[in-house]
Amino acid sequence: MPRRDEARRGITALAVALLLGACGTGGDEVCDGPLVSSLPASSFRSSSQLSSSHGPVFAKVNRREGAGGWSPLVSDRYQWLEVDLGRRTQITAVATQGRYGSSDWLTAYLLMFSDTGHNWRQHRQEDSLGAFPGNSNADTVVHYKLEQPVIARYLRLVPLDWNPTGRIGLRLEIYGCRYTSNVASFDGSSSLVYRLSGRQSWIPTEAISLKFKTLKNSGTLLHAEGGRGHSLALVLEKGKLLLYHQQGVSSPSGGQLLLSMGSLLDDQHWHHVKLERLSDHLSLTVDKNTQQVHVPAELSRWHLNTLTVAAVQSHGLQKPILSNRNFHGCLENLLYTDLNLIDLAKQNSPQAIIVGNVTFSCAEAVSVAVTFTDSHSFLQLPGLTSWSSAAALVKLQFRTWNRAGLLLTFGLPQQDEVVFLYLSEARLRLQMSKAGGAPLELSTGSGLNDGQWHSVELNFGQDRLSITVDKDEGATAHTNIPLLLTPDSQLFFGGCPDQSSSLECRNPFQVFQGCMRLLALDDQPVDLINVQQRLLGNYSHLQIDMCGIIDRCSPSLCEHGGKCTQSWSTFHCNCSASGYRGATCHSSKHEQSCEAYKHKGNASGFYYVDVDGSGSIKPQLIYCNMTEDKTWMVIEHNNTELTRVQASSERNHHFAHFDYSSGEEQLAAIIRQSEYCEQELSYQCRKSRLLNTLEGAPFSWWIGGPGSGRVQMYWGGALPGSRQCACGLQDSCLDSSHYCNCDADFDQWTDDSGLLTHKETLPVRSLVLGDVHRPGSEAAYRVGPLRCYGDKNFWNAAFFDKETSYLHFPTFHGELNADISFLFKTSSSSGVFLENLGIKDFIRIELSSSSEVLFSFDVGNGPFKIRVTTTVPLNDNRWHRVRAERNVKEALLRVDDYPTAIHEAPADGLIHLQLNSQLFIGGTASRQKGFLGCIRSLQLNGNTLDLEERAKITPGVLPGCPGHCSSYGSLCQNHGLCVEKANGFTCDCGPSAYTGAFCHNEVSATFQSTTSITYVLKEPHELSRNGSDAPSSIHSDVTLRGENISLSFRTGQSPALLLYVSSFHREYLTLLINKHDELEVRYKLHSNRDVDILRSRVESLTDGRLHSVTVRRHANSVSIQIDQNVREDFNLTTDVEFNSIKSLILGRGQESDGLDAELAGLASLGFSGCLSGVRFNSISPLKAALHHPDSPVIVVGPLVQSSCASSSPANPYSAETTHSLSGQPASVDPGQPLVNAIRGDSALIGGVIAVVIFVIVSSLAVMARFVCRRKETYRNQEVKAAQPEDGNEFPFSNQADSPGVPSENQKEYFI
């Protein structure tokens, strides 16, 4: 049996004793006196005794009378020793000792407590363990200090285990002190009313505390009425305590529920309650658990006038929470701040009014319950002699969490039938089964596994059988088939004996686990104490005179809003709607940043981001922009558009407030963990001043920063506190005497715009504009979304270069739930990643071998080890992810994408992980088994440890860890190259025909028959003239012995030319669709030889669907693959060298030199349809034309960039979202600011303005581009005319992918 820290328990027990002493026993009294040694013999009872000299009276520590202690007649788990302390006493510790001079002692035991000698309550430790450690010999006294003192009159000790070579033997001492209290008993129609109006009108802190016990599951405990008709009601409903707020007649529904706490509070045991109002919140404590709720605004200055105890409110206008249902039970130590209210009532104070029969003692009804604990539990009772009259009645009450279980079974020998009364799907069912016949079934009730007491009546008559559930509020099922019970009938409750014959008892259903009470046969109560003493019936594995039901969902151990359900022995968490996963809904399903999503290969889009992982901040939907090297998190608010401000003579300021799509905690966390954040702040003005001067009061300001924010008096692009705009910082304002353009107060449109980049002032929460009320003043503002990039947590890393080096952090606190995740890379075969120790508890994660990660821990139940073995080595110097979690239900370990290893926690084991040493990373306190390599993004319960900062001051550990392309390089697709960065990597899409963060976005365009793209290779003299060209520039004087060509297309045209590659030697290569809708590849690699025509067997390529083509040649071997069809192989018969490439042409051919008449005619037809992802070796002509107009490319005719490559194949053109490179010119006043059509004066005007300006900008861009391209066309023609055809020398790489890594500054090359 594991032992816990004695010193810690002592401190805890002392603190609780002092707190409880304030309500009863004096707080200054030391409560550790011996209680047993002076008790008379009548105070001791036991289940049995071996002899008169082994009686319970001799069970006193260090006494040798009699046989030297107590020993029962039989040593089994049904024995017990009971001590009556004579009155309710505060018990703080127990001590056990074996029987003197013997080999008889206990090794484990249970403790039970009671006020009445009935209705025992098992005492459980902090981790819900019921067993206490005993002795190892007969002489040593073992003390056990209770973690929390117990108030009780009776103590019962139940042996669990004993010396295997001896018997049960026990001497006992109990420690504690006297307990005094004020008690009042209420009978369901009585109450107390206290008038507190004589106290001061309002105090910032008020508290009401009490203890109560009851057998009724519903009733009003307190009703506190205060000023302005507001009141608070504390109500017991179905065994739970509810706190309501009511307000006069305006709450016909009974009030607003503020809190719900506790469960099974109708168990006739004392429960402690404290309600506090602390400034701005209410705090409710029920036993050990506390919850808080913000005070409703109406109660912020509320004061208490009247307190009604144990009754519904009856003298005001409010509707009672529970109509006509008063509290029935006992209250103890009812305190209001410094007033003992029960004492006031006993002294007949004028402040206290007694209503009905209130007694100042606790009279308790005796109700003996029995607990069915496991699959071996059963209770057998004989039939009654009166059952020969053919009428019988069986009654019982039960409570359980299980949806199924046998309540009662008995046989009817005269009718050859067996009757089963059982639960199934939480409904009560009665089945009558006869050999060879179909069973007859009745069912009634529902939801009977709610833990509440439910009554059952089984009524047998001569011509009627009925079952009734919850007589007053439930339902009845009946049949006209008679059942005849006889005196010989044997009734089995809960289950059957293990060795029962099939005729006597059989159970085809699950056993019952739960409690029963008030068993009666023909209205004769069954004496369960006689059953316990073996004087009536038979039983096994029962706990008699107690109900051992436990609510494992109160308080719920399911986190993040997970729904808790339970059975008798365990609980389950439904995490489906929480956004979290795991046995307790602890671990987030979502990544903590857009950066993390990007490195899983995701594209731009909306994602749920959980910034603190398993922490308290909920995940929220955020847009992740991954189109750039940087990954931006974009947090929108309620108005990101340019918004016009109207002049108004009725107000001097315009106020705008911004509500963000993310919560306050999430906003703060995003800003804190990002490397950089920005937010656009723009003001467009006409005779509307902004900040005035440095000395004068500002006309406008904004509020930003964490929490409610602070007033900021600077504008976008300037520095905090500068009271300037961007132009003031740059000394470029329109009026040099001012620091903002708008402060010049010109009667023309101007603006002050810029980015706010100081994270401590973000986000912008509200905006106040002052100079907007003068005649002629016009203004518009825009506050853009908050944008942040760079996840400091994701790349936070440290490199351990010595086995003896480590980082240390404060103790990890993960008592009930601990999740740990990190990435590592190493070339070593073993090493400790993480270790934290306690006195006996510990947690450790290590690389135990090159292909195994080991997660080990101990929470007091002995060490557990979980392993994940991988099929590939983990010491390959690539990043690997480890995630470990330990909670009250299970522990798990996952490495990369390998199956998760799971280890279930023991059902009734210790659950708290108690650590007290420093947390070691990369090594251990013993400096052994240290880790060599990198650890990155180490997170414990959602909190990232700053490895880099700690590494800066730790010898043997370096901050950061480069080398990410070995792990993430595969994310760069379509020939994109991975480029290392200090924190992370980027994809260089220069060699690729694709764009995007991972070179995964296809570049597509819609072609018309007149569209032509010509990519001209640079000639040697151009390279010598233009020294600024990139060193990887290529030219045309090269001999190709192979090509790598890929493209996608969709068209309905046949025949059609897809690609034409020309040469200065009248050689060419073409890809075309012939008149049979098939793909042809034609090679003419020698001007004096025939053309090689390679024809694919794939048909119907003009069906309007998207088709992908890949052509690869090496020397004379050519392969063609279309879509997912089988690759087709061909051989060239003419030549293998393609000399002096001149140009690549897509669409309509602008030259026909060297082409035969058929190809020349085909080139003149052009291409109509969609082309996408065109790549010839390292050249991407379509991408160059659309994204790099400064490259050597000539575009003729309309070219429309579109998403045609991803459109629906059923109608390939209708779904295209296009952006044209040409447009129609128009005229508009460019000084007019663009205004959001919804926020501005007129939706129509704003929309028209936006459209017109868009058309102008597009037209100007196209005109400029057209002029530039025409100039390039003329220049190319001049160069060609001046150069002899055979004198060209253009180097050209024939490699499909350049092996070199481009520089960081220039990512794409189109030459």
Side-chain angles (χ1 to χ4, degrees):
M1 178 61 61
R3 303 174 183 269
R4 311 303 289 176
D5 183 9
E6 295 287 345
R8 179 181 54 77
R9 284 198 299 269
I11 295 173
T12 304
L14 178 59
V16 176
L18 292 174
L19 290 173
L20 293 177
C23 299
T25 304
D28 296 332
E29 182 179 351
V30 178
C31 193
D32 59 0
L35 304 175
V36 171
S37 57
S38 59
L39 291 176
S42 60
S43 297
F44 298 86
R45 294 177 60 234
S46 65
S47 54
S48 66
Q49 59 189 43
L50 184 61
S51 69
S52 59
S53 61
H54 292 79
V57 68
F58 301 113
K60 296 182 179 180
V61 165
N62 292 327
R63 301 288 286 271
R64 303 182 181 182
E65 292 87 355
W70 167 70
S71 285
L73 181 63
V74 179
S75 291
D76 59 27
R77 292 191 175 189
Y78 297 105
Q79 309 303 320
W80 46 264
L81 173 70
E82 182 182 309
V83 180
D84 179 2
L85 298 175
R87 59 176 296 162
R88 293 182 69 212
T89 304
Q90 181 168 305
I91 301 170
T92 59
V94 296
T96 59
Q97 189 179 25
R99 192 168 63 82
Y100 175 73
S102 73
S103 58
D104 304 338
W105 62 82
L106 303 182
T107 58
Y109 58 91
L110 300 178
L111 288 179
M112 309 281 190
F113 295 97
S114 172
D115 283 351
T116 63
H118 292 288
N119 190 31
W120 294 91
R121 182 168 196 166
Q122 181 178 336
H123 184 75
R124 294 182 177 270
Q125 304 174 61
E126 177 185 5
D127 288 334
S128 297
L129 287 181
F132 290 81
N135 301 84
S136 57
N137 57 56
D139 299 322
T140 305
V141 178
V142 175
H143 292 260
Y144 196 92
K145 186 177 290 291
L146 303 183
E147 292 173 345
Q148 294 189 0
V150 174
I151 311 300
R153 175 178 172 176
Y154 296 90
L155 178 146
R156 180 176 284 186
L157 186 149
V158 179
L160 285 181
D161 289 298
W162 46 91
N163 180 18
T165 61
R167 307 173 57 89
I168 292 175
L170 176 64
R171 288 177 283 176
L172 174 71
E173 183 58 86
I174 305 172
Y175 300 91
C177 59
R178 180 176 177 175
Y179 179 79
T180 58
S181 64
N182 291 288
V183 180
S185 181
F186 302 86
D187 61 6
S189 60
S190 55
S191 63
L192 293 174
V193 180
Y194 295 92
R195 306 290 186 185
L196 305 171
S197 55
R199 301 180 64 81
Q200 65 186 70
S201 60
W202 183 82
I203 54 177
T205 302
E206 291 181 288
I208 302 172
S209 63
L210 58 92
K211 285 185 175 183
F212 76 90
K213 69 187 316 184
T214 182
L215 280 172
K216 303 292 184 180
N217 69 354
S218 298
T220 299
L221 275 176
L222 298 174
H223 185 273
E225 187 174 354
R228 293 175 286 177
H230 294 278
S231 66
L232 294 173
L234 204 56
V235 175
L236 190 66
E237 175 67 17
K238 292 188 176 180
K240 295 186 177 183
L241 204 58
L242 312 179
L243 178 63
Y244 285 93
H245 169 228
Q246 292 178 287
Q247 181 179 6
V249 295
S250 64
S251 56
S253 63
Q256 174 192 3
L257 178 63
L258 300 179
L259 288 172
S260 173
M261 290 191 66
S263 178
L264 308 175
L265 300 178
D266 56 339
D267 57 2
Q268 194 68 350
H269 295 291
W270 288 107
H271 296 281
H272 174 251
V273 178
K274 186 173 185 179
L275 176 63
E276 293 180 279
R277 181 173 60 80
L278 303 172
S279 184
D280 61 346
H281 67 268
L282 288 170
S283 173
L284 179 61
T285 299
V286 179
D287 294 329
K288 302 177 185 178
N289 305 305
T290 300
Q291 288 187 22
Q292 292 184 347
V293 63
H294 284 284
V295 174
E298 301 88 342
L299 298 179
S300 59
R301 302 287 293 183
W302 181 75
H303 60 277
L304 180 59
N305 293 332
T306 304
L307 182 64
T308 304
V309 179
V312 297
Q313 207 289 125
S314 59
H315 52 274
L317 298 177
Q318 294 171 336
K319 177 182 177 180
I321 302 297
L322 296 175
S323 299
N324 302 320
R325 194 175 295 182
N326 290 5
F327 174 74
H328 190 290
C330 300
L331 296 183
E332 179 182 69
N333 294 332
L334 174 59
L335 304 177
Y336 169 69
T337 309
D338 57 350
L339 291 179
N340 188 321
L341 299 184
I342 294 179
D343 191 50
L344 288 180
K346 290 170 66 175
Q347 296 175 10
N348 295 317
S349 168
Q351 286 185 267
I353 302 172
I354 299 176
V355 179
N357 183 26
V358 178
T359 59
F360 297 103
S361 62
C362 188
E364 302 183 48
V366 175
S367 176
V368 179
V370 58
T371 304
F372 296 78
T373 58
D374 55 41
S375 60
H376 304 287
S377 299
F378 76 93
L379 169 62
Q380 179 181 353
L381 294 176
L384 302 180
T385 57
S386 60
W387 283 354
S388 59
S389 62
L393 178 65
V394 179
K395 294 182 180 180
L396 62 88
Q397 290 186 3
F398 73 90
R399 71 190 316 174
T400 184
W401 299 117
N402 290 358
R403 295 173 58 83
L406 178 69
L407 293 176
L408 171 65
T409 181
F410 52 87
L412 300 173
Q414 295 180 357
Q415 299 171 261
D416 194 22
E417 290 183 335
V418 179
V419 178
F420 301 100
L421 183 67
Y422 63 100
L423 289 175
S424 177
E425 298 298 320
R427 290 176 56 85
L428 185 65
R429 301 180 186 273
L430 180 72
Q431 183 184 104
M432 292 163 284
S433 178
K434 188 172 185 177
L440 173 67
E441 288 195 358
L442 297 176
S443 66
T444 185
S446 62
L448 300 179
N449 65 327
D450 57 359
Q452 302 297 309
W453 284 108
H454 297 283
S455 64
V456 178
E457 290 188 8
L458 185 59
N459 202 329
F460 303 88
Q462 291 185 351
D463 57 357
R464 181 180 176 86
L465 168 65
S466 66
I467 53 172
T468 302
V469 178
D470 297 334
K471 187 172 183 180
D472 296 331
E473 304 172 358
T476 300
H478 59 83
T479 179
N480 294 329
I481 299 177
L483 293 180
L484 301 178
L485 282 170
T486 68
D488 297 330
S489 298
Q490 295 291 317
L491 281 69
F492 294 88
F493 294 86
C496 292
D498 290 338
Q499 302 300 325
S500 172
S501 67
S502 60
L503 294 178
E504 186 180 14
C505 181
R506 63 184 181 89
N507 179 17
F509 309 104
Q510 297 182 33
V511 297
F512 174 75
Q513 289 179 293
C515 300
M516 292 188 190
R517 70 179 184 185
L518 300 180
L519 276 72
L521 306 180
D522 280 359
D523 287 328
Q524 298 180 26
V526 176
D527 190 339
L528 292 174
I529 298 301
N530 282 342
V531 174
Q532 183 183 37
Q533 296 173 355
R534 304 288 182 179
L535 301 176
L536 174 66
N538 188 22
Y539 72 91
S540 178
H541 290 79
L542 297 184
Q543 293 178 336
I544 297 179
D545 207 1
M546 66 175 293
C547 179
I549 190 170
I550 299 173
D551 192 339
R552 302 176 190 273
C553 290
S554 181
S556 175
L557 293 176
C558 302
E559 299 185 67
H560 302 110
K563 301 301 181 183
C564 182
T565 58
Q566 60 186 312
S567 62
W568 180 259
S569 57
T570 189
F571 71 94
H572 302 276
C573 298
N574 183 350
C575 311
S576 58
S578 68
Y580 295 81
R581 62 189 169 196
T584 60
C585 311
H586 176 72
S587 299
S588 181
K589 295 179 180 178
H590 311 293
E591 299 296 333
Q592 293 185 237
S593 66
C594 291
E595 189 92 3
Y597 277 113
K598 175 182 177 180
H599 287 83
K600 292 180 70 175
N602 293 286
S604 298
F606 284 93
Y607 296 92
Y608 278 100
V609 173
D610 194 337
V611 290
D612 68 340
S614 59
S616 60
I617 303 176
K618 294 182 179 180
Q620 293 198 20
L621 197 62
I622 288 179
Y623 184 74
C624 297
N625 186 342
M626 306 177 189
T627 58
E628 306 177 25
D629 288 345
K630 301 178 179 63
T631 303
W632 292 90
M633 301 178 72
V634 183
I635 300 98
E636 299 283 346
H637 56 75
N638 57 324
N639 181 16
T640 58
E641 303 297 331
L642 190 65
T643 303
R644 175 171 299 200
V645 180
Q646 289 298 316
S648 174
S649 59
E650 299 178 357
R651 58 182 182 179
N652 294 330
H653 291 85
H654 176 85
F655 178 82
H657 180 74
F658 306 104
D659 295 318
Y660 288 82
S661 58
S662 296
E664 179 58 41
E665 288 182 314
Q666 189 177 45
L667 274 174
I670 289 173
I671 294 172
R672 182 174 59 252
Q673 74 184 37
S674 297
E675 294 179 8
Y676 171 87
C677 291
E678 68 180 26
Q679 195 165 12
E680 179 189 351
L681 181 57
S682 175
Y683 190 63
Q684 300 193 20
C685 56
R686 178 173 162 180
K687 292 193 66 177
S688 178
R689 293 162 292 179
L690 188 56
L691 297 179
N692 201 2
T693 63
L694 290 178
E695 295 78 19
F699 289 107
S700 304
W701 62 89
W702 53 279
I703 297 175
S708 57
R710 299 180 61 183
V711 173
Q712 308 292 336
M713 296 183 184
Y714 74 101
W715 214 249
L719 300 176
S722 65
R723 298 185 64 171
Q724 296 184 22
C725 299
C727 70
L729 195 65
Q730 300 165 3
D731 197 21
S732 61
C733 296
L734 295 176
D735 186 338
S736 59
S737 63
H738 293 279
Y739 297 92
C740 294
N741 289 322
C742 290
D743 287 344
D745 204 22
F746 290 165
D747 190 12
Q748 67 182 46
W749 283 104
T750 186
D751 76 280
D752 286 295
S753 303
L755 294 176
L756 304 171
T757 60
H758 295 270
K759 295 200 296 182
E760 63 273 12
T761 66
L762 297 176
V764 178
R765 300 187 177 276
S766 54
L767 183 65
V768 179
L769 303 175
D771 192 19
V772 294
H773 61 283
R774 293 183 297 156
S777 291
E778 294 183 81
Y781 66 87
R782 181 178 187 270
V783 176
L786 177 67
R787 289 165 32 97
C788 298
Y789 74 77
D791 183 354
K792 293 190 293 186
N793 295 337
F794 190 76
W795 297 110
N796 193 296
F799 173 64
F800 300 82
D801 62 356
K802 296 181 179 178
E803 286 191 359
T804 57
S805 61
Y806 59 83
L807 299 177
H808 60 84
F809 291 86
T811 305
F812 174 42
H813 296 289
E815 285 79 5
L816 294 177
N817 291 283
D819 77 274
I820 303 168
S821 64
F822 59 91
L823 293 101
F824 76 92
K825 67 174 184 175
T826 183
S827 56
S828 179
S829 61
S830 64
V832 175
F833 299 121
L834 173 149
E835 181 183 85
N836 206 165
L837 305 178
I839 294 178
K840 297 187 69 174
D841 297 359
F842 73 89
I843 189 168
R844 182 185 302 113
I845 305 175
E846 61 186 296
L847 182 68
S848 55
S849 72
S850 61
S851 59
E852 183 179 85
V853 175
L854 176 65
F855 175 33
S856 54
F857 62 91
D858 187 356
V859 296
N861 304 310
F864 290 100
K865 295 182 178 181
I866 306 176
R867 293 179 170 86
V868 169
T869 303
T870 62
T871 56
V872 298
L874 297 173
N875 59 341
D876 56 359
N877 216 29
R878 296 167 62 93
W879 286 114
H880 298 280
R881 179 176 292 277
V882 175
R883 177 178 171 266
E885 180 181 346
R886 179 261 153 195
N887 55 59
V888 298
K889 288 185 66 67
E890 66 184 20
L892 58 88
L893 175 66
R894 185 168 190 180
V895 179
D896 294 335
D897 292 326
Y898 288 92
T900 303
I902 300 177
H903 185 283
E904 291 190 3
D908 292 312
L910 295 165
I911 61 174
H912 283 80
L913 175 65
Q914 299 177 351
L915 307 174
N916 56 21
S917 73
Q918 289 182 320
L919 169 66
F920 290 86
I921 307 299
T924 65
S926 61
R927 294 177 178 266
Q928 296 178 356
K929 300 175 67 176
F931 173 73
L932 288 174
C934 293
I935 297 178
R936 196 185 99 216
S937 189
L938 174 59
Q939 298 181 336
L940 284 73
N941 279 352
N943 298 313
T944 301
L945 298 187
D946 195 341
L947 302 177
E948 292 187 357
E949 283 301 315
R950 189 61 60 94
K952 292 177 182 177
I953 58 174
T954 305
V957 187
L958 300 175
C961 190
H964 304 293
C965 282
S966 60
S967 300
Y968 297 113
S970 60
L971 293 177
C972 298
Q973 306 170 32
N974 302 304
H975 307 286
L977 299 178
C978 182
V979 181
E980 292 284 354
K981 295 175 63 178
N983 281 337
F985 74 99
T986 186
C987 292
D988 171 19
C989 300
S992 172
Y994 292 69
T995 61
F998 300 114
C999 312
H1000 62 290
N1001 295 330
E1002 286 190 288
V1003 178
S1004 309
T1006 300
F1007 282 65
Q1008 297 182 15
S1009 60
T1010 58
T1011 305
S1012 172
I1013 296 177
T1014 303
Y1015 189 99
V1016 181
L1017 273 70
K1018 292 190 176 181
E1019 302 180 32
H1021 70 274
E1022 290 186 75
L1023 294 176
S1024 62
R1025 268 192 337 216
N1026 189 358
S1028 63
D1029 280 342
S1032 62
S1033 295
I1034 54 178
H1035 55 89
S1036 62
D1037 187 20
V1038 69
T1039 297
L1040 293 181
R1041 295 182 60 84
E1043 298 85 36
N1044 192 340
I1045 306 168
S1046 60
L1047 59 84
S1048 298
F1049 70 91
R1050 68 165 83 232
T1051 185
Q1053 177 184 343
S1054 171
L1057 182 65
L1058 298 176
L1059 172 66
Y1060 169 49
V1061 183
S1062 66
S1063 125
F1064 286 96
H1065 298 300
R1066 296 183 179 274
E1067 299 173 0
Y1068 64 81
L1069 160 65
T1070 63
L1071 271 69
L1072 59 89
I1073 300 172
N1074 63 25
K1075 62 182 179 180
H1076 303 294
D1077 299 343
E1078 300 167 335
L1079 180 73
E1080 285 187 10
V1081 180
R1082 299 188 181 185
Y1083 275 97
K1084 185 176 177 61
L1085 300 184
H1086 194 287
S1087 58
N1088 297 323
R1089 296 182 183 178
D1090 294 334
V1091 177
D1092 280 305
I1093 301 177
L1094 314 179
R1095 184 176 294 113
S1096 170
R1097 293 186 295 273
V1098 179
E1099 301 177 344
S1100 303
L1101 297 181
T1102 59
D1103 55 1
R1105 296 179 180 274
L1106 188 69
H1107 298 284
S1108 299
V1109 177
T1110 301
V1111 179
R1112 291 187 174 92
R1113 180 180 74 90
H1114 180 70
N1116 67 333
S1117 298
V1118 180
S1119 67
I1120 301 174
Q1121 183 167 14
I1122 301 176
D1123 299 330
Q1124 301 300 318
N1125 295 288
V1126 177
R1127 188 185 70 183
E1128 301 172 80
D1129 296 319
F1130 304 88
N1131 289 310
L1132 301 182
T1133 60
T1134 55
D1135 202 345
V1136 296
E1137 294 183 347
F1138 194 3
N1139 299 296
S1140 301
I1141 303 293
K1142 182 170 67 172
S1143 63
L1144 283 70
I1145 300 175
L1146 301 175
R1148 184 173 184 176
Q1150 300 298 315
E1151 58 180 80
S1152 58
D1153 293 345
L1155 294 180
D1156 56 36
E1158 178 190 0
L1159 281 180
L1162 191 58
S1164 66
L1165 294 177
F1167 173 78
S1168 297
C1170 171
L1171 283 179
S1172 173
V1174 182
R1175 188 171 187 267
F1176 179 87
N1177 287 358
S1178 60
I1179 301 174
S1180 303
L1182 181 58
K1183 180 180 176 183
L1186 292 172
H1187 295 281
H1188 296 271
D1190 56 339
S1191 59
V1193 62
I1194 304 170
V1195 178
V1196 177
L1199 178 65
V1200 180
Q1201 182 175 347
S1202 71
S1203 58
C1204 58
S1206 58
S1207 302
S1208 170
N1211 188 355
Y1213 305 112
S1214 62
E1216 293 176 9
T1217 302
T1218 63
H1219 175 71
S1220 177
L1221 296 181
S1222 62
Q1224 299 297 325
S1227 61
V1228 73
D1229 178 8
Q1232 178 72 22
L1234 298 180
V1235 180
N1236 180 8
I1238 298 176
R1239 305 282 178 184
D1241 292 334
S1242 167
L1244 179 60
I1245 294 175
V1248 170
I1249 292 173
V1251 171
V1252 170
I1253 289 189
F1254 173 79
V1255 171
I1256 287 179
V1257 173
S1258 300
S1259 301
L1260 292 175
V1262 170
M1263 291 172 63
R1265 186 169 184 174
F1266 178 78
V1267 170
C1268 293
R1269 286 178 176 167
R1270 294 294 296 173
K1271 290 181 178 179
E1272 179 68 17
T1273 301
Y1274 297 143
R1275 187 181 65 81
N1276 287 340
Q1277 291 174 348
E1278 291 172 358
V1279 171
K1280 292 175 185 176
Q1283 296 290 337
E1285 184 172 308
D1286 296 332
N1288 297 306
E1289 294 184 5
F1290 294 93
F1292 187 96
S1293 172
N1294 65 346
Q1295 298 298 320
D1297 297 290
S1298 174
V1301 178
S1303 68
E1304 183 86 5
N1305 296 328
Q1306 186 164 348
K1307 298 297 176 63
E1308 298 184 343
Y1309 307 107
F1310 299 99
I1311 54 265

